[in-house]
Amino acid sequence: MSRIVAIVGRPNVGKSTFFNRLTESRKAIVDNLSGVTRDRHYGKVEWIGQEFSVIDTGGYVHGSDDVFEAAIRDQVITAMEEADVILFMVDVTTGITDLDDKMANLLRKNKKPLLLICNKVDHNDRLAETHEFYKFGLGELWPISSQTGSGTGDLLDEIVRLLPPEPVKDENEEEVKLPRFTIIGRPNVGKSTFLNALTGAERSIVTPIAGTTRDTIDTHYNLFNKEFILVDTAGIRKKAKVHEDIEFYSVMRSIRAIESSDVCFMIIDASEGLQAQDLSILNLAEKNKKGLVILVNKWDLVEKDNSTMEDFKKRILERIAPFVDVPIIFMSALEKQRIFKAIEDGLEVYDNLKKQIKTHLLNDVMLKVIENYPPPATKGKYIRIKYVTQVKTKNPTFLFFCNLPQYIKEPYKRFIENKLRENFRFTGVPLTIFFREK
Ligand code: GDP
Ligand code: GDP
């Protein structure tokens, strides 16, 4: 968990092509799962049994040319602060440009492991042209072609080698395990106010304990007789030095906290409604298969009538579909209204996340459901689902065994997911569903 690789580089060097190549083998699996929205900028990579997150920093740059340079500069700086390994990508077909030079100057101050990647080396005769990039003084050069994939295997080996080791699980951890919550959201939605409301609340015991991952602070709470750990990144408390109103920062600074928690409290600002940036952050939680509670904060500012809350809820659900089985709480962190309800729902989502359905019960219920509404025959072949089991993993994962898994289509998967939710209650939790041949 929590190992981040950032790709930096000016536009058109091939960052997103490379990103897609890294994430696509996994995407093939992930896209088959229910409730996963695609994100072009943030993904998970698995290589020789090692997992890490990769972020295409360029994917977050919007706007005209003049804001471009400043934005890229800020992104490089943030990447240097937040990532574990930095990939600086350049383009052999253009050689060194002005912007490459500026980025290289920034990156020379970097203390993290960095790899200089020369992209678009589609054939060996381009190798000679890569040499000019040694001028940067950024060490060894990795020639690759994101298009053909050449060189990417060696590069991945090296990335994995440079990553910090995966945290070793304590054997006793499961027994003493407390729910780990984190608060996420755009700047100014009220994250610190919510945190302070919790900290200032009656009888809350605050014990700072060592964060399980670098850069996070874990605080053990005993609040309203409930025990939990709040994972905080430095980013939540301390305002960033640079403009924090850029989507990229919220995302970059949320990754670590999200990855090391069980349930995310996603705060949105009621006076502004759900924004595109909110969806990017939400996507991080979903992609990491974390529990989710949506907190619509600053509800005190909204002029209300009978249907305001329902309308608001409906609009959120439309935007976050298909993962709509999520608690949504309307609160005011400032007036300390419904903050208890938030924690209560967080604990319930945690229970759902850890829920293990007995195999016989699961089969009793789901095989009946399937019998009444079997998957449609495809190419004249009947699909028989014979058996289902919940895999023992960190988050609810179901394995359905059948004769022809490749013929099970998305709508049927969704149907199965809905039935699992109806019968076993998994509110706030993304479900993973696989069909396997047997
Ligand atoms: P980004 O702006 O850095 O994300 O760059 P893109 O991934 O969008 O790529 C910019 C252009 O370079 C696109 O037309 C790609 O098809 C092309 N491109 C990317 N990687 C390669 C490569 O390895 N070889 C060649 N020949 N073209 C590439
Ligand atoms: P953060 O950047 O997400 O940590 O946001 P802050 O907690 O710093 O809050 C940003 C601003 O919104 C501050 O001026 C807060 O006083 C205000 N704020 C936070 N929660 C509420 C709320 O529930 N109601 C109102 N009216 N203002 C709030």
Side-chain angles (χ1 to χ4, degrees):
M1 68 180 196
S2 241
R3 304 193 300 171
I4 306 169
V5 174
I7 312 169
V8 303
R10 66 172 171 79
N12 288 320
V13 295
K15 294 183 299 301
S16 68
T17 308
F18 178 62
F19 172 88
N20 288 338
R21 180 166 280 282
L22 288 191
T23 52
E24 83 193 352
S25 58
R26 193 182 163 100
K27 204 164 74 188
I29 307 167
V30 172
D31 279 352
N32 286 331
L33 309 178
S34 51
V36 175
T37 43
R38 269 178 245 185
D39 186 317
R40 287 171 299 121
H41 322 313
Y42 167 78
K44 295 274 184 181
V45 180
E46 223 179 286
W47 184 251
I48 48 170
Q50 299 273 331
E51 198 186 66
F52 57 90
S53 301
V54 62
I55 181 159
D56 167 14
T57 65
Y60 292 92
V61 182
H62 316 280
S64 57
D65 282 359
D66 45 330
V67 301
F68 226 87
E69 223 177 278
I72 289 179
R73 189 177 170 281
D74 290 349
Q75 297 199 353
V76 171
I77 292 170
T78 310
M80 288 193 288
E81 286 170 4
E82 302 288 330
D84 296 303
V85 175
I86 295 170
L87 309 180
F88 175 32
M89 184 173 280
V90 291
D91 179 347
V92 72
T93 63
T94 59
I96 297 175
T97 70
D98 193 35
L99 204 49
D100 288 332
D101 239 348
K102 286 183 175 143
M103 292 181 85
N105 283 338
L106 282 171
L107 286 163
R108 265 191 288 276
K109 301 190 191 97
N110 163 62
K111 306 233 160 40
K112 305 273 177 69
L114 177 141
L115 297 173
L116 173 60
I117 300 175
C118 190
N119 191 33
K120 308 195 190 176
V121 185
D122 302 339
H123 23 78
N124 281 341
D125 36 334
R126 281 191 182 160
L127 266 177
E129 295 156 45
T130 64
H131 292 284
E132 73 163 305
F133 295 98
Y134 279 108
K135 257 195 272 182
F136 289 149
L138 290 171
E140 205 185 330
L141 193 130
W142 296 79
I144 65 162
S145 167
S146 299
Q147 217 150 64
T148 68
S150 111
T152 53
D154 289 345
L155 176 61
L156 275 161
D157 286 346
E158 181 65 7
I159 293 170
V160 164
R161 204 184 62 76
L162 292 173
L163 284 170
E166 279 187 285
V168 187
K169 267 246 165 68
D170 184 345
E171 277 185 17
N172 298 320
E173 195 189 52
E174 288 309 313
E175 292 165 39
V176 294
K177 214 167 181 238
L178 290 175
R180 299 170 62 81
F181 296 152
T182 190
I183 305 167
I184 56 175
R186 284 186 292 123
N188 287 318
V189 292
K191 294 183 297 299
S192 340
T193 310
F194 180 54
L195 191 77
N196 292 337
L198 292 178
T199 314
E202 252 184 289
R203 286 182 297 143
S204 71
I205 301 165
V206 184
T207 328
I209 51 181
T212 46
T213 44
R214 195 167 53 76
D215 297 340
T216 63
I217 305 157
D218 293 356
T219 311
H220 183 166
Y221 282 75
N222 190 336
L223 194 62
F224 319 113
N225 286 325
K226 308 284 188 201
E227 276 193 281
F228 57 91
I229 287 168
L230 212 54
V231 182
D232 188 8
T233 50
I236 293 180
R237 291 203 180 120
K238 165 189 91 181
K239 295 279 179 207
K241 296 171 283 288
V242 278
H243 342 276
E244 230 201 325
D245 57 343
I246 295 177
E247 177 183 7
F248 177 70
Y249 299 110
S250 318
V251 170
M252 225 32 211
R253 293 187 196 284
S254 304
I255 293 176
R256 230 177 265 280
I258 289 173
E259 291 193 353
S260 50
S261 66
D262 300 305
V263 178
C264 302
F265 289 112
M266 165 80 201
I267 302 194
I268 62 179
D269 186 331
S271 61
E272 294 179 342
L274 194 69
Q275 311 270 315
Q277 295 187 25
D278 294 323
L279 289 172
S280 300
I281 298 173
L282 207 66
N283 178 63
L284 295 177
E286 214 181 320
K287 196 158 257 182
N288 279 288
K289 301 270 168 201
K290 300 301 180 182
L292 181 67
V293 178
I294 295 179
L295 305 177
V296 182
N297 190 35
K298 310 196 188 178
W299 196 236
D300 57 293
L301 293 181
V302 174
E303 231 177 277
K304 305 168 206 52
D305 63 34
N306 284 341
S307 61
T308 314
M309 197 183 278
E310 277 313 309
D311 290 348
F312 208 103
K313 199 176 242 172
K314 220 176 104 201
R315 280 203 301 275
I316 294 176
L317 292 179
E318 278 166 11
R319 301 286 302 278
I320 66 172
F323 181 38
V324 291
D325 184 14
V326 177
I328 300 178
I329 295 157
F330 294 82
M331 72 165 192
S332 168
L334 195 67
E335 298 180 351
K336 296 193 168 92
Q337 268 168 10
R338 294 173 62 85
I339 59 171
F340 175 48
K341 176 71 177 137
I343 297 298
E344 215 171 33
D345 279 28
L347 290 164
E348 195 191 321
V349 168
Y350 178 76
D351 287 342
N352 291 344
L353 189 72
K354 297 297 159 195
K355 194 179 280 182
Q356 187 77 35
I357 312 290
K358 293 231 164 32
T359 304
H360 69 87
L361 184 61
L362 191 60
N363 280 278
D364 281 355
V365 172
M366 291 311 289
L367 293 185
K368 205 164 288 159
V369 163
I370 290 162
E371 197 184 297
N372 289 333
Y373 186 73
T378 307
K379 297 181 183 159
K381 293 201 170 91
Y382 290 103
I383 301 157
R384 284 188 195 82
I385 299 172
K386 299 164 187 167
Y387 183 73
V388 49
T389 178
Q390 183 177 355
V391 188
K392 280 205 165 55
T393 43
K394 275 186 288 186
N395 36 51
T397 303
F398 297 90
L399 204 53
F400 288 79
F401 292 99
C402 61
N403 56 339
L404 297 162
Q406 68 273 28
Y407 289 156
I408 298 202
K409 299 286 180 326
E410 203 51 46
Y412 195 76
K413 281 180 195 167
R414 195 129 291 152
F415 163 77
I416 291 287
E417 172 172 350
N418 290 339
K419 288 296 172 186
L420 283 168
R421 292 186 183 280
E422 251 170 55
N423 286 286
F424 301 107
R425 194 173 169 82
F426 283 108
T427 299
V429 176
L431 299 184
T432 309
I433 298 169
F434 290 109
F435 290 86
R436 284 277 162 74
E437 186 167 353
K438 186 144 190 185

